[in-house]
């Protein structure tokens, strides 16, 4: 499969004009990193478990030019200018939870690997909407890593390594204890299953499958709920699972045999609480489900795959409990979106909470003959354009090129 990415003339024009308007010169190169969709493995990556994920045909793209300084200047469309002084490659406390932290973190890791990091100017446009559940932050990290890798390191860092650099930036500089799934899916491209058990050497396997060939559309539904004020909800998942692991003197659940976990439930209920136990049960079930999903796709057993997607959704709702934030009564956007999916799919296809949960998006596999009715029904409740029909993109983080003749 050809992994070269060609930018459409209109997009190339928009990027070039945007770059010139900001920097008063012409860009010399173009780069792109896709958003991602999680297909299997909900909240398994931070426990070094298994996932099934794919890059999608929405991306973050940049027009770029080296600027001969030690400053990175990135103008993202619709946002304030991000400027980072590369003479300081240590975490900056005031930058926590900010874009400059991600840029500084990626640059710092490249410098640690021996890269002579220099400055560049970039004008960025994105179709990966923030908070969409398609991981705009990972796409941005992969984009910056891909730019530095090509401009100043002769492309010697592999795409999986760029993913790990993005995770490092997010963990150490940005201040978010994320797993590695988002960055890996964006960096590598296509559909991949990843086993994160080996901390510094995740096992990545491509999965070649076309959902459209099975008569289904891959849909992502924007529940229109905000992630704001939900940081504690996300953090509670990892904190509660860490407490379970601490009972065994281990770092992650993949280091604890499932039978040992179940045998310890009476003690875990007292020390960690029932929700932590239920979240642990979700992890073990979900981690076992991923290779079953991969096998179903490889065997062409699409009905079995859909059944496993539904099981994943039920587990996330009942055990992981990342659908309704604690105490939310009037607003239950994700729960309502799942109910709409069930209503309009009428027992066909499959649906599940997607990504982090609590807000963001729901994923659905919708039979083609139901797609228009399904989309209209979802949009009527959640708003026009809430239901996005996506395709899987073969390219990960790459340099992009104009069409010949443009």
């Amino acid at each position: 499969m050809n992994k070269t990415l060609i930018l459409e003339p209109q997009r190339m024009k928009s990027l070039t004009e945007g770059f010139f308007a900001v920097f008063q010169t012409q860009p010399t190169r173009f780069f792109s990193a896709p958003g991602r969709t999680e297909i299997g493995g909900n909240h398994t990556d931070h426990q070094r478990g298994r996932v099934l994920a794919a890059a999608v045909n929405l991306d973050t793209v940049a027009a770029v030019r080296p600027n001969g300084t030690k400053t990175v200047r990135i103008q993202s469309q619709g946002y304030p200018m991000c400027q980072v002084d590369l003479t300081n490659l240590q975490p900056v406390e005031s930058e926590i939870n900010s874009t400059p932290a991600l840029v500084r973190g990626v640059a710092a890791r490249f410098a640690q690997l021996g890269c002579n990091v220099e400055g560049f100017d970039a004008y960025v446009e994105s179709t990966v909407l923030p908070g969409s559940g398609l991981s705009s932050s990972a796409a941005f990290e992969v984009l910056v890593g891909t730019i530095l890798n090509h401009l100043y390191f002769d492309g010697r860092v592999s795409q999986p390594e760029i993913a790990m650099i993005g995770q490092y930036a997010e963990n150490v500089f940005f201040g978010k204890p994320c797993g590695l799934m988002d960055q890996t899916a964006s960096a590598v491209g296509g559909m991949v299953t990843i086993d994160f058990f080996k901390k510094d050497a995740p096992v990545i396997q491509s999965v070649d499958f076309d959902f459209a060939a099975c008569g289904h559309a891959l849909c992502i539904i924007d529940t229109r709920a905000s992630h704001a004020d939900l940081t504690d909800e996300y953090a509670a998942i990892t904190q509660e699972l860490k407490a379970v692991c601490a009972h065994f003197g281990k770092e992650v659940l993949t280091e604890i045999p499932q039978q040992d976990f179940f045998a310890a439930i009476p003690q875990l209920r007292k020390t960690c609480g029932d929700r932590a136990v239920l979240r642990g049960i979700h992890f073990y079930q979900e981690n076992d489900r991923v290779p079953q999903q991969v096998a179903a796709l490889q065997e062409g057993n699409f009905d079995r795959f859909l059944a496993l997607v539904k099981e994943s959704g039920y587990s996330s709702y009942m055990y992981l409990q990342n659908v309704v934030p604690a105490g939310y009564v009037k607003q239950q956007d994700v729960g309502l979106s799942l109910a709409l999916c069930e209503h309009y799919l009428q027992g066909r296809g499959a649906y599940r909470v997607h990504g982090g949960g609590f807000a963001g998006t729901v994923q659905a596999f919708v039979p083609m003959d139901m797609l228009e009715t399904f989309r209209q029904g979802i949009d009527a409740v959640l708003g026009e354009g809430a239901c996005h029909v996506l395709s899987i993109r073969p390219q990960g983080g790459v340099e992009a090129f104009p069409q010949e003749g443009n």
Side-chain angles (χ1 to χ4, degrees):
M1 186 181 289
N2 185 3
K3 295 280 185 97
T4 301
L5 183 67
I6 304 297
L7 290 177
E8 297 172 355
Q10 189 57 41
R11 203 166 193 209
M12 183 69 71
K13 181 174 182 284
S14 176
L15 285 165
T16 302
E17 290 177 351
F19 186 95
F20 185 83
V22 176
F23 301 110
Q24 300 303 299
T25 187
Q26 295 294 325
T28 56
R29 299 172 80 170
F30 299 85
F31 298 90
S32 167
R36 69 93 185 100
T37 182
E38 165 206 289
I39 296 169
N42 193 221
H43 278 278
T44 54
D45 59 333
H46 51 72
Q47 296 300 306
R48 300 216 305 269
R50 306 182 189 101
V51 301
L52 177 62
V56 297
N57 61 324
L58 300 176
D59 69 342
T60 301
V61 63
V64 177
R65 185 186 185 103
N67 60 25
T69 73
K70 294 295 282 188
T71 300
V72 170
R73 300 189 297 175
I74 300 177
Q75 178 65 65
S76 294
Q77 186 181 40
Y79 290 87
M81 170 82 77
C82 166
Q83 294 197 58
V84 176
D85 179 1
L86 299 177
T87 60
N88 174 21
L89 293 179
Q90 298 300 315
V92 176
E93 189 171 349
S94 63
E95 288 181 352
I96 288 174
N97 290 318
S98 74
T99 300
L102 297 176
V103 176
R104 196 181 305 277
V106 171
R109 189 71 187 115
F110 267 93
Q112 292 165 17
L113 294 171
C115 175
N116 181 25
V117 178
E118 298 287 336
F120 62 86
D121 295 333
Y123 174 75
V124 175
E125 295 181 353
S126 183
T127 51
V128 188
L129 300 176
S132 67
L134 300 172
S135 204
S136 57
S137 60
F140 183 80
E141 295 154 22
V142 169
L143 180 71
V144 173
T146 302
I147 291 169
L148 289 175
N149 195 32
H150 283 77
L151 291 187
Y152 301 120
F153 217 34
D154 298 323
R156 69 184 72 169
V157 173
S158 70
Q159 293 309 115
E161 288 172 320
I162 284 178
M164 286 187 271
I165 290 170
Q167 183 197 31
Y168 169 83
E170 197 154 341
N171 290 175
V172 179
F173 285 70
F174 188 83
K176 181 180 177 182
C178 68
L180 189 57
M181 176 183 69
D182 296 351
Q183 292 85 352
T184 303
S186 177
V188 173
M191 181 156 57
V192 292
T193 182
I194 313 162
D195 188 335
F196 292 111
F197 182 68
K198 293 182 180 176
K199 195 170 186 177
D200 298 318
V203 178
I204 304 167
Q205 176 190 349
S206 293
V207 180
D208 186 16
F209 191 84
D210 180 6
F211 291 111
C214 283
H216 284 69
L218 169 60
C219 295
I220 295 294
I221 296 155
D222 182 356
T223 67
R224 305 286 165 90
S226 171
H227 286 86
D229 303 322
L230 292 176
T231 300
D232 289 347
E233 292 282 359
Y234 298 118
I237 294 176
T238 54
Q239 288 165 359
E240 290 174 14
L241 294 180
K242 277 183 180 178
V244 171
C245 294
H247 175 87
F248 296 92
K250 299 294 184 181
E251 183 186 356
V252 290
L253 287 174
T254 42
E255 298 175 322
I256 303 164
Q258 186 172 164
Q259 63 268 27
D260 292 356
F261 167 82
F262 274 89
I265 284 179
Q267 293 78 32
L268 292 171
R269 293 186 69 192
K270 296 174 185 175
T271 58
C272 305
D274 285 350
R275 189 172 70 171
V277 171
L278 288 167
R279 285 173 164 171
I281 290 171
H282 164 82
F283 169 78
Y284 285 108
Q285 292 185 355
E286 187 78 344
N287 203 45
D288 287 344
R289 207 161 8 244
V290 170
Q292 295 177 50
Q293 289 179 304
V294 172
L297 291 176
Q298 290 175 332
E299 293 163 5
N301 189 347
F302 197 62
D303 288 341
R304 172 64 176 154
F305 168 77
L306 291 175
L308 290 164
V309 171
K310 289 179 185 176
E311 286 180 17
S312 171
Y314 295 152
S315 180
S316 292
Y317 209 153
M318 291 189 295
Y319 304 143
L320 183 61
Q321 299 178 45
N322 67 331
V323 170
V324 179
Y328 277 47
V329 177
K330 282 198 169 184
Q331 277 191 286
Q332 298 190 356
D333 310 80
V334 177
L336 176 62
S337 299
L338 291 168
L340 292 172
C341 288
E342 182 175 43
H343 174 72
Y344 285 109
L345 284 174
Q346 302 172 30
R348 298 175 64 192
Y351 59 94
R352 61 194 281 275
V353 63
H354 178 254
F358 300 114
T361 53
V362 163
Q363 179 185 74
F365 294 92
V366 182
M368 291 295 190
D369 63 303
M370 306 180 83
L371 182 57
E372 270 316 301
T373 301
F374 179 86
R375 181 157 46 184
Q376 289 170 11
I378 296 294
D379 286 1
V381 176
L382 300 180
E384 194 67 30
C387 181
H388 302 270
V389 181
L390 303 181
S391 61
I392 293 173
R393 162 173 147 161
Q395 306 91 352
V398 290
E399 182 165 7
F401 301 93
Q403 283 186 356
E404 290 185 15
N406 289 286

